[in-house]
Amino acid sequence: MNLTVIGTGYVGLVTGACLADMGNEVMCLDVDATKIANLRQGILPIFEPGLESVVKRNVETGRLRFSLDAEEAAHFGVIQMIAVGTPPDEDGSADLRYVLAAARQVGRFMPDYRVIVDKSTVPVGTADKVEAAVRDELALRGVDLPFSVVSNPEFLKEGAAVEDCMKPDRIVLGVEDPQAEALLRELYQPFQRNHERTLVMSRRAAELTKYAANAMLATRISFMNDLARVAEKVGVDIEDVRRGIGSDPRIGYSFLYAGTGYGGSCFPKDVQALLRTAEEHAAPLRLLRAVEEVNDDQKTTLVRRARERLGSLRGKRLALWGLAFKPNTDDMREAPSRAVMESLWADGATVSAYDPIASDECRRLYGDRPDLVLAASPLEAVRGADALIIVTEWKEFRSPSFAEIKSRLNTPLIFDGRNLYEPAVPARYGLEYHSIGRTVSGAA
Ligand SMILES: NC(=O)c1ccc[n+]([C@@H]2O[C@H](COP(=O)([O-])OP(=O)(O)OC[C@H]3O[C@@H](n4cnc5c(N)ncnc54)[C@H](O)[C@@H]3O)[C@@H](O)[C@H]2O)c1
């Protein structure tokens, strides 16, 4: 099948590459000339495990190509997938500017029947707006061509995006036109050979499903973070509670980790956008509002603890392990590390940070500044620091040499926002260890 993917970011590039890998002919379109030029030379704009080899082999076979030309792209695919960004607008609602521009591009140039697929995360009613935008463009051209708009939200996780795309839990299709449904079922058939995973529903239901999924996951995280505060007060280890409730199959273990809050390009903005939709319909989501409040507070909880323990942070040096919003990605959008760094800088502290992948992204975001040192190793980051703060649970942080950490730190202090260690272990090495939802260990 020939298909076009509009927007070659995390979702567009991964989806395009995986669809090409199944034998489809794919054209990925973007407005970013540098990104397209780099991709044509095999340079990927993002880090995503396994993606480089999928892109490479499909570029080599000629099944995956990249374009800046909207007209060529509208001609190429019967299916036109929209995977552009939907950042938060000033009021928190999803900014649909890019989605509607993409829809207009298709309407402006499509030569005949097209199925336009919304893969971007978009509020309820967006498929109707996309349809109207395409119809407007066709009217401007004075033509009447058949087309269909489908909502097909994406559920892939950064850090495991290729795997998720190849083996999706479910494929949600908001489709009300049998011809478009048949085409998309055919497209996705190779991804569900083992069992059928397609859920067909109305377009509006598909749009809401995507927000509901992220809102539920964010709720689990904030619930645990809220509970962690109580656990600390009553002398309970939140990890015991997590295991105790996660073993209930009705609850399950996933997304029950207390920590320094959720971040990334999706949860914060999707929670905000859903809150906004609810308010617009005079049906405010009170629970979700609290989820957001807890998370905002949680992102800087480690800095508050550092202040309580060290006093003024002015002139202090804090080591930071982890910049990416989660492991296996270089994405720092809304990352808790940013809230931590910005609040340390506001206090007059210097940050000495280490991340296995995201240092370049950090440099791109913050530039060169005297109060930011990007270290080449975890131990280098710690040298001469007044405390170590851990915000991302990269594997390489799980079994560090506590003796080496202790010998390099000015003050033997760890603030762990990911509960990576059994509290007794760092304490055994003479380190004072603060984590989330557990009592402090090793304190003098
Ligand atoms: N990143 C994720 O993990 C993830 C997961 C599921 C869903 N989503 C959703 O998917 C959508 C895309 O997210 P992303 O993280 O891939 O975004 P991104 O910012 O990484 O990529 C978007 C790309 O679209 C391009 N673009 C913008 N306007 C365009 C146009 N008119 N024509 C062609 N290209 C255009 C941009 O240049 C950019 O390269 C968002 O709605 C997001 O919420 C993201």
Side-chain angles (χ1 to χ4, degrees), residues 6-12 29-32 35 83-86 98 101-102 105 119-121 154-158 210 265-266 269-270 333:
I6 308 172
T8 311
Y10 280 89
V11 170
L29 175 76
D30 209 284
V31 288
D32 183 335
K35 195 178 264 191
V84 298
T86 45
Y98 307 105
Q105 278 164 217
K119 260 212 165 295
S120 299
T121 303
E154 181 53 60
F155 295 95
L156 61 77
K157 301 182 286 295
E158 281 178 30
K210 172 65 197 179
S265 69
C266 293
K269 86 168 168 57
D270 292 350
R333 288 180 281 186

Side-chain angles (χ1 to χ4, degrees), residues 292-311:
E292 191 185 39
E293 264 169 37
V294 169
N295 196 61
D296 287 346
D297 191 56
Q298 198 69 14
K299 280 187 176 179
T300 49
T301 184
L302 295 175
V303 178
R304 285 195 299 278
R305 288 173 201 212
R307 272 188 214 123
E308 276 164 25
R309 179 62 184 74
L310 292 167

